Amino acid sequence: MKADLDDLLRSNAMDALLVIGPARHNPAMVYLTGLLHVSDGLLVKPRGRAPVLYCFPMEREEAARSGLETRVLNWHEFNQTVKGDTVELMARLCQHVLGEQRVTGRVAVYGQMEMGEALGALRTVEERMPQVRFVSESKHISVLGRARVTKDAGEVERIRRMGKVTVEVVGAVVDFLSSQSVAGGHLVAKSGKPITVGEVKRLIHRLLSERGAEDPEGTIFSVGRDAGIPHSAGLDGDLLPIGKPVLLDLFPCEAGGGYFYDFTRTWCLGHAPDDLAAVHELVLKAHQQSLASLRPGIQAMSVQERVCDLFEAQGHPTVRSQPNTQNGYVHSLGHGLGLEVHEPPAFRASVEGQVALEPGMVFAIEPGLYYPEREIGLRLEDTVWLRPDGKPEVLAPYPMDLVLPVRSRRKTSTIRKGKGPGHRAKL
Amino acid sequence: MKADLDDLLRSNAMDALLVIGPARHNPAMVYLTGLLHVSDGLLVKPRGRAPVLYCFPMEREEAARSGLETRVLNWHEFNQTVKGDTVELMARLCQHVLGEQRVTGRVAVYGQMEMGEALGALRTVEERMPQVRFVSESKHISVLGRARVTKDAGEVERIRRMGKVTVEVVGAVVDFLSSQSVAGGHLVAKSGKPITVGEVKRLIHRLLSERGAEDPEGTIFSVGRDAGIPHSAGLDGDLLPIGKPVLLDLFPCEAGGGYFYDFTRTWCLGHAPDDLAAVHELVLKAHQQSLASLRPGIQAMSVQERVCDLFEAQGHPTVRSQPNTQNGYVHSLGHGLGLEVHEPPAFRASVEGQVALEPGMVFAIEPGLYYPEREIGLRLEDTVWLRPDGKPEVLAPYPMDLVLPVRSRRKTSTIRKGKGPGHRAKL
C-alpha cells in the first residue's frame, strides 16, 4: 500500500522515485497525485521524505489540488534552452528536479512516455549526473508495483464504485436486449431493424460516460465464433443471433484514467444449445470453486492449477496440457487490477503465479472455455477483494445465468430456466 | 505523410522502425495499424520493406484487421521463459522480432510504455544484439514525427469528423446554457437549482460518447478567475455567474485513441463587462489576423510574432516581452494536432517555431489574454488545415460571439449584439 512506500524503497535499495508525465491515464503519477488536469508533471520522492510535484505555470493550481508540495518550473527558460528538442527538454527537467531535491544513488523511474524519447533522456541524465543511476525493475517486484498490489480502503471503495457502475450498465444492456424482438433468427427492434453490436457498444459508452466512467481499453461484445477468441472485440455491424453465445467483457475506469473494474458475462439469447449449456455449467463451477478457495497465503498459481484439473478431467485442453492451444481453456485464471486493468498478481501456472495472496489484493477471476470453430466461447468474470478478515468479496455481484429470455419467443426459449444460480429477477 | 516513411527512414539514416504496445491510445502504433483491440503488439518496419505486426494468439484476428502482414507470437514460450519478469519479456520480444526480421543498424523505437521498464528492456536488447542501436530522436525531427506532421486526405477527413462532433457538442452546450434561467447572479435550472460546471461536463461527456468520441485529456470548462489560468480545468461544484468569462476548451478524439480536434470559445452569460469585451475584440483580431497570414512557406514563429506585436501595441504583456508573465498573453499561438492533441509544428517565438508551414499540416490557432486576478481569461481556438492549394481552412467553423444571451434577462443582456462575426442564429 501507499503507506509502505518508504519501507519498499528501503527493501528494494532505492534512494528515490521519479515519476514523469501527466496526472491522467498514467498510473504511477495518478497513484501519487490523484487525477489532475496536469499534462506535464515531474514527481520526486526521495526515501524518507515527502513527494514534491513539479509543474509548469499554467498548471500551478491544478497541481496544487494534489495536496502535495508543488513547485513551478520556469517553462520559458527550459523552452528557450532546449530549442524544441523534446528529448533534451525531458533530460533537463529530470536533471533540474533531481538536482534540486539532492537525489543521488539508485532511482526507480516511472511514467508512461514515448519510449524512444525516454531512453534518450534518461541516458543523457545518467551521463551528466554520474551520481544517479536509473534502475529498471519488473512490475511484479518494483517499488510501485509492490505498493500497488495491495489496496487501501480508499482504493477499494473506488474500485467498488466502478463495480457498481459496471453492473448498472450491464443491467441496462440486459434490459435493452431482452426488450427487443426476434426475426430471422436475430434480435430486431420493433421497427424490424436488426440490433447490432455497434448499437449496444454505443449504449454502453453513453451509460458509462453518464456515470463518470470510460473504457479506454475498449469493450468486448462479441458473438458466436468471435466469442471463442478471447480478445476479439466484436464488429460494429455484427447482428445478435438467437442460440449463440454473446459475450460482454466490460473493464471501465474512472474518467481520466483512474481505478478499473473488470467483469464478464456470457449469455445466449432465447435458448442455449446443449453443448454451450454444458460449458456454462463447467465454467460456473470453475468460478465458484476458485472463489471458494481464495484466502491469504495460498499461491495464486494453485487456484489456476485447480481450474486446469477441473477442465482437463472433463476432456478440455488447457494451457497446462497443451500450452499453445486455441481451444479449451486458453488463458490464465485472473490478474490483479487497480489503476491498470492488468496488474500483479498473475494467476498463472508459472513462476509468475508463485505469489502468495495477501489481504488487500484486488483481482479478476475469469475462467473460460473456447471453441471458436464450434461457435463456443464462454467466460464468467468477477472482480474480487481479499478483505482484511481474509474473506474474498465480489465487489459487484451480478447473476450468472446463461439464457437471456427475449420477447416473442416460446417457452423453449427458457429451457435452461432454473439451472443458473437463481438470480433471474434482474434478467 | 505515411507514404514518405521510407524516404524519411533514409534521410534520418535509420534502418528500421520498431513500435511497441497497444493499438489504442498509443499514437505511433495507431498511426501504422489503425485503431485495433490489440493490447500487446510489436510492429517492425525495416527500411524498404512493408511493416509486420506481431501479436499474441488471443488477438490474432484483431491484429489481422490492420491489413498488415501479421505473425502470432508463441505466448506460452515467452511466458515460461521470462518467469514473470516484464522487463525481460519486453527485451525478449524485441530480440525475437528484430532477429526474425533480420534488422541491424539504427532503429527508431516508438510506443508509449512505462519508461523504467522500457529503459531496462532496450538496454538489455542492445547488450545482447550489438548489431542493433536504438536511436532517440526528438519528436520534431524523428521519422514518425516528420511523417505525422503532414496529414493525408484520409487523416484530414477523420479530424474534420471530430470537428463536426465538437461543434455539435458545443452547440448543444450553448443551447443548454441559454435555455436556463438566472437567479442570484448565477445560471439556475427551472427548479431554481444552480447549474454547475460538473453538470455541463457530464453533458459534454455524454454527447461525445454518443458520437463515438472521448476526451482522454479532459475538458476545460472554467469560470471567472479559473478561465484566467489556461490549464485550470474548472471544478465540478463551480456555479456559472452572469457577466464573467466562461471558457470551454474541448479537445476530443475518436474513441479508443484516434484523431483529435481542438477548439475553444469563451462566452459571457447575459452581458459582458467592458474590459472583457475589449479583450474579446483584440483576441478575435489576433485570431483573424493569424488565419489570414497562414500560407505555405512562412515560419510558424512569424505568426506568433505578429500576435505579440498586436497585443504589445495595446499594452498587454506577452511571453515575448515578459517571458514568465502570468498576465496577458501567457502561451504560444498554436500547435499541430493529429493522433496527439499537441504535435509539431509549434507556433512559438523560439527555435522550435522556426518551421516553415507546409500544405497538409493541421494545427490549432489559439490566441488568448489572461488576467486571473481581474477575472479575465479569454481564448478563441480553431483547428486549421493548410490545404494542398495553400489556403487555410477551419475544419469546423463556429461563431465567435462573446455574449451568450440567457433567458429572463433584459435587453441589456445583449449589449454586444452585432459586434461578433454575425453568426448569432445558433447562439
Side-chain angles (χ1 to χ4, degrees):
Chain A
M1 292 183 198
K2 213 178 295 176
D4 307 325
L5 271 183
D6 280 315
D7 287 342
L8 292 168
L9 280 163
R10 204 166 292 117
S11 74
N12 281 25
M14 291 289 180
D15 295 287
L17 298 179
L18 173 64
V19 186
I20 306 180
R24 299 173 70 81
H25 291 291
N26 188 17
M29 187 66 92
V30 173
Y31 186 63
L32 297 169
T33 62
L35 278 170
L36 302 171
H37 198 86
V38 167
S39 49
D40 295 288
L42 289 99
L43 182 145
V44 187
K45 193 208 143 15
R47 193 177 64 218
R49 284 192 275 149
V52 180
L53 176 60
Y54 287 80
C55 66
F56 286 106
M58 292 205 302
E59 300 181 334
R60 61 192 181 275
E61 305 223 342
E62 289 291 332
R65 296 193 216 290
S66 65
L68 304 176
E69 182 189 341
T70 58
R71 300 209 179 175
V72 178
L73 293 158
N74 186 330
W75 166 236
H76 172 74
E77 190 183 296
F78 282 106
N79 189 43
Q80 284 299 312
T81 316
V82 305
K83 302 182 192 311
D85 183 333
T86 48
V87 175
E88 178 64 24
L89 174 64
M90 191 170 148
R92 295 216 179 205
L93 289 170
C94 292
Q95 282 176 259
H96 175 80
V97 303
L98 293 173
E100 190 166 286
Q101 295 299 323
R102 304 177 310 286
V103 169
T104 59
R106 286 162 52 93
V107 177
V109 60
Y110 297 90
Q112 299 223 350
M113 302 281 294
E114 269 299 328
M115 56 195 292
E117 296 183 60
L119 176 71
L122 296 176
R123 277 175 165 163
T124 301
V125 175
E126 284 189 341
E127 280 164 27
R128 295 181 188 160
M129 302 180 89
Q131 72 277 25
V132 166
R133 168 81 191 159
F134 294 115
V135 181
S136 295
E137 294 180 314
S138 173
K139 194 180 284 184
H140 68 309
I141 54 164
S142 80
V143 174
L144 278 191
R146 288 171 68 199
R148 286 168 53 192
V149 77
T150 48
K151 274 73 180 173
D152 64 29
E155 293 178 278
V156 172
E157 281 320 295
R158 290 172 70 176
I159 299 169
R160 190 195 294 277
R161 199 187 78 79
M162 274 302 102
K164 184 165 176 286
V165 165
T166 302
V167 297
E168 277 175 18
V169 170
V170 170
V173 168
V174 163
D175 288 348
F176 173 79
L177 295 176
S178 54
S179 66
Q180 308 301 324
S181 303
V182 177
H186 293 95
L187 221 52
V188 298
K190 270 167 208 130
S191 67
K193 207 176 134 234
I195 306 295
T196 64
V197 161
E199 188 176 347
V200 176
K201 283 194 179 177
R202 281 191 294 279
L203 170 67
I204 290 170
H205 288 147
R206 178 169 67 75
L207 295 169
L208 288 175
S209 78
E210 285 173 356
R211 288 161 175 78
E214 57 183 54
D215 61 345
E217 315 258 345
T219 288
I220 296 173
F221 187 60
S222 56
V223 177
R225 181 176 176 281
D226 272 0
I229 303 172
H231 278 196
S232 283
L235 295 177
D236 275 6
D238 287 348
L239 306 186
L240 299 176
I242 301 304
K244 291 184 184 173
V246 174
L247 184 151
L248 175 58
D249 189 346
L250 198 52
F251 29 108
C253 71
E254 296 167 310
Y259 285 88
F260 278 86
Y261 197 82
D262 201 354
F263 177 97
T264 307
R265 290 295 182 271
T266 311
W267 303 299
C268 213
L269 298 173
H271 67 275
D274 289 344
D275 52 359
L276 187 64
V279 159
H280 176 258
E281 201 158 339
L282 190 58
V283 171
L284 183 59
K285 192 167 173 186
H287 187 284
Q288 291 167 337
Q289 155 191 313
S290 299
L291 236 71
S293 72
L294 296 169
R295 60 181 183 278
I298 61 160
Q299 294 289 310
M301 70 179 286
S302 72
V303 195
Q304 163 80 344
E305 293 283 352
R306 294 298 77 73
V307 169
C308 289
D309 291 345
L310 176 70
F311 287 159
E312 287 167 19
Q314 299 295 319
H316 296 283
T318 71
V319 279
R320 183 176 68 178
S321 64
Q322 296 180 33
N324 284 312
T325 185
Q326 296 185 351
N327 288 294
Y329 182 46
V330 303
H331 54 66
S332 62
L333 181 64
H335 53 85
L337 85 165
L339 287 166
E340 288 173 278
V341 68
H342 295 116
E343 295 185 353
F347 285 72
R348 275 186 205 295
S350 72
V351 178
E352 210 181 341
Q354 286 179 13
V355 50
L357 299 187
E358 291 175 57
M361 284 181 169
V362 175
F363 40 77
I365 293 291
E366 51 174 333
L369 285 169
Y370 308 90
Y371 294 92
E373 303 319 322
R374 289 163 56 198
E375 295 195 306
I376 286 180
L378 196 142
R379 181 163 70 253
L380 296 171
E381 177 181 34
D382 281 312
T383 295
V384 179
W385 172 38
L386 201 55
R387 301 192 314 206
D389 68 4
K391 297 270 191 305
E393 177 181 342
V394 172
L395 287 173
Y398 193 87
M400 295 277 195
D401 305 65
L402 175 63
V403 174
L404 202 163
V406 288
R407 278 186 185 175
S408 329
R409 300 288 301 176
R410 306 255 162 69
K411 274 219 161 164
T412 51
S413 68
T414 53
I415 50 169
R416 291 266 308 146
K417 199 173 172 180
K419 286 215 179 174
H423 310 276
R424 292 306 284 261
K426 272 207 80 170
L427 288 176
Chain B
M1 292 183 198
K2 212 177 297 176
D4 307 324
L5 270 183
D6 280 315
D7 287 343
L8 292 167
L9 281 162
R10 203 166 293 115
S11 74
N12 281 22
M14 291 290 182
D15 296 288
L17 297 179
L18 173 65
V19 186
I20 306 178
R24 299 174 70 82
H25 292 290
N26 188 19
M29 187 66 93
V30 173
Y31 187 63
L32 296 169
T33 62
L35 279 169
L36 302 170
H37 197 87
V38 167
S39 49
D40 295 288
L42 289 100
L43 181 146
V44 187
K45 191 206 142 20
R47 193 176 67 219
R49 284 192 276 150
V52 179
L53 176 60
Y54 287 80
C55 66
F56 286 106
M58 290 205 304
E59 300 181 335
R60 62 194 182 274
E61 305 224 340
E62 288 292 330
R65 295 193 217 290
S66 65
L68 304 175
E69 182 191 339
T70 57
R71 298 208 182 176
V72 178
L73 293 158
N74 185 330
W75 166 239
H76 172 73
E77 190 182 295
F78 282 105
N79 189 44
Q80 284 298 311
T81 314
V82 306
K83 303 185 193 308
D85 182 333
T86 49
V87 175
E88 178 64 23
L89 174 64
M90 192 170 147
R92 296 218 178 204
L93 290 169
C94 291
Q95 283 177 260
H96 175 81
V97 303
L98 293 174
E100 189 165 286
Q101 294 299 321
R102 303 176 312 283
V103 168
T104 59
R106 286 162 52 92
V107 177
V109 60
Y110 297 90
Q112 299 224 350
M113 301 281 295
E114 269 298 328
M115 56 196 293
E117 295 182 62
L119 176 71
L122 296 177
R123 277 175 164 162
T124 301
V125 174
E126 284 189 342
E127 280 165 25
R128 293 180 190 161
M129 301 180 88
Q131 71 278 23
V132 165
R133 167 80 189 160
F134 294 115
V135 181
S136 295
E137 293 180 312
S138 173
K139 197 182 281 183
H140 68 309
I141 54 164
S142 80
V143 174
L144 277 192
R146 289 171 68 198
R148 285 169 53 192
V149 78
T150 49
K151 274 72 179 174
D152 63 29
E155 293 178 279
V156 173
E157 283 320 296
R158 290 172 69 176
I159 299 169
R160 190 194 295 277
R161 199 186 78 77
M162 274 301 102
K164 185 167 176 285
V165 165
T166 301
V167 297
E168 277 176 18
V169 170
V170 171
V173 168
V174 163
D175 288 347
F176 173 79
L177 296 176
S178 55
S179 67
Q180 308 302 324
S181 305
V182 177
H186 291 96
L187 220 54
V188 298
K190 270 168 209 130
S191 66
K193 207 176 136 232
I195 305 295
T196 64
V197 161
E199 188 175 348
V200 176
K201 283 195 178 175
R202 282 191 293 278
L203 171 66
I204 291 169
H205 289 147
R206 178 168 67 76
L207 295 169
L208 287 176
S209 78
E210 285 173 356
R211 288 162 175 78
E214 59 183 52
D215 60 344
E217 315 259 345
T219 287
I220 296 173
F221 187 59
S222 56
V223 176
R225 181 175 176 280
D226 272 1
I229 302 172
H231 278 196
S232 281
L235 296 178
D236 275 5
D238 288 346
L239 305 186
L240 299 175
I242 301 305
K244 291 184 183 173
V246 174
L247 185 151
L248 175 59
D249 189 346
L250 198 52
F251 29 106
C253 71
E254 297 167 310
Y259 285 88
F260 279 86
Y261 197 81
D262 201 355
F263 176 98
T264 307
R265 288 295 181 270
T266 311
W267 302 298
C268 211
L269 299 174
H271 67 276
D274 288 345
D275 53 357
L276 187 65
V279 158
H280 176 256
E281 202 160 335
L282 191 59
V283 171
L284 183 58
K285 194 168 172 186
H287 188 284
Q288 291 167 337
Q289 155 191 312
S290 300
L291 235 71
S293 72
L294 296 168
R295 59 179 183 279
I298 62 162
Q299 295 288 313
M301 71 179 284
S302 72
V303 197
Q304 162 82 344
E305 293 283 352
R306 294 298 77 75
V307 170
C308 290
D309 292 345
L310 176 70
F311 287 159
E312 288 167 20
Q314 299 295 320
H316 295 284
T318 71
V319 278
R320 183 176 68 177
S321 65
Q322 295 180 32
N324 285 312
T325 184
Q326 295 186 352
N327 289 294
Y329 183 43
V330 304
H331 53 65
S332 62
L333 182 63
H335 53 86
L337 83 165
L339 288 167
E340 288 172 278
V341 69
H342 294 117
E343 296 185 353
F347 285 72
R348 274 185 207 293
S350 73
V351 179
E352 209 181 341
Q354 286 177 13
V355 50
L357 299 186
E358 291 175 58
M361 283 180 169
V362 175
F363 39 77
I365 293 291
E366 50 173 335
L369 285 169
Y370 309 90
Y371 294 92
E373 302 320 322
R374 290 164 56 198
E375 295 196 306
I376 287 180
L378 196 142
R379 183 164 67 252
L380 297 171
E381 176 181 36
D382 281 312
T383 295
V384 179
W385 172 39
L386 201 54
R387 301 190 314 206
D389 68 4
K391 298 269 192 304
E393 177 181 341
V394 173
L395 288 173
Y398 193 87
M400 295 278 193
D401 305 65
L402 174 62
V403 174
L404 202 162
V406 288
R407 275 187 187 174
S408 329
R409 299 289 299 175
R410 307 255 162 71
K411 273 216 164 168
T412 51
S413 69
T414 55
I415 50 168
R416 292 266 310 146
K417 198 172 173 179
K419 288 214 181 174
H423 308 275
R424 293 306 286 259
K426 274 208 77 171
L427 290 177

